[in-house]
Amino acid sequence: FLAGYFGAEVQPLYIVGNMNSSSDHVVGTVVQDLRAEMDFLPPRTQFVQHIAARVSPTGLKAQVQLLNPLPQTITLGAFDLHIFLKDAPDTMIFELNSINSATALPATPLPPRQVAEVNLSLSVFGAKIGAIAELEKIVKAAGEGSIVVTARGPISVTVHENYEVIVPYEGKDLTARV
């Protein structure tokens, strides 16, 4: 369900009622044998809101803004996002792997319906930078360095203490400042 929520995919929703479905005795009696099936379409949201990255001879530093679309706090675990050019979806320009970062904290709480920022610092050995020649041309053409990208990769989130899920995320038309 959570992966579908992040991807704004239609999710089947099954509702089963029983006497304890309501604290009101009359309503509990009415819904006692309720069985309903419906399709739930969560609102389209971009989990990854913005990426700002600086590539240097010592590695890559990035700030990633993440939106928690849920009405409760979730905990961000590890993520491994591959950043691709919008116009060349097979051209990876860099990878953001939180496990290799010196600064990303595992178990980062993301407040409900708010944007939070995660900072990554990847050494020259931990940073995977691809298509440097292509990236240089794009940054020069963009003037200030903003480009439109796609982010793809697994994101681990914990919703409740004992419920962790790995979401196969894909965010399109993201702005990245390089």
Side-chain angles (χ1 to χ4, degrees):
F1 181 79
L2 192 60
Y5 200 96
F6 279 28
E9 299 168 353
V10 174
Q11 300 291 305
L13 186 62
Y14 302 98
I15 301 169
V16 179
N18 65 41
M19 189 63 177
N20 297 322
S21 294
S22 174
S23 59
D24 183 275
H25 180 69
V26 175
V27 174
T29 303
V30 171
V31 298
Q32 181 172 352
D33 295 318
L34 174 69
R35 303 278 186 269
E37 182 179 333
M38 64 178 71
D39 289 332
F40 171 70
L41 178 62
R44 183 162 299 282
T45 56
Q46 286 279 23
F47 181 66
V48 177
Q49 294 280 298
H50 181 75
I51 300 168
R54 174 170 289 181
V55 179
S56 72
T58 59
L60 183 139
K61 293 189 184 300
Q63 294 84 38
V64 182
Q65 293 178 345
L66 304 171
L67 170 68
N68 174 3
L70 301 176
Q72 69 185 57
T73 298
I74 61 175
T75 304
L76 177 68
F79 59 89
D80 185 11
L81 294 175
H82 297 248
I83 311 304
F84 297 90
L85 298 173
K86 177 186 177 183
D87 297 330
D90 294 329
T91 304
M92 185 186 82
I93 51 176
F94 56 86
E95 176 186 17
L96 299 176
N97 188 334
S98 64
I99 291 174
N100 295 335
S101 175
T103 56
L105 301 173
T108 301
L110 302 177
R113 296 187 176 127
Q114 292 182 36
V115 175
E117 188 169 276
V118 175
N119 293 301
L120 299 167
S121 180
L122 300 164
S123 73
V124 70
F125 301 109
K128 290 185 182 169
I129 302 166
I132 290 187
E134 188 76 20
L135 183 59
E136 287 175 354
K137 290 178 199 172
I138 290 168
V139 170
K140 286 180 183 177
E144 288 191 10
S146 291
I147 56 176
V148 179
V149 298
T150 296
R152 266 185 257 151
I155 298 174
S156 168
V157 293
T158 302
V159 180
H160 283 296
E161 258 179 58
N162 297 319
Y163 184 68
E164 179 181 6
V165 64
I166 297 174
V167 177
Y169 181 75
E170 180 174 50
K172 296 180 179 180
D173 297 329
L174 303 171
T175 59
R177 184 168 163 78
V178 182

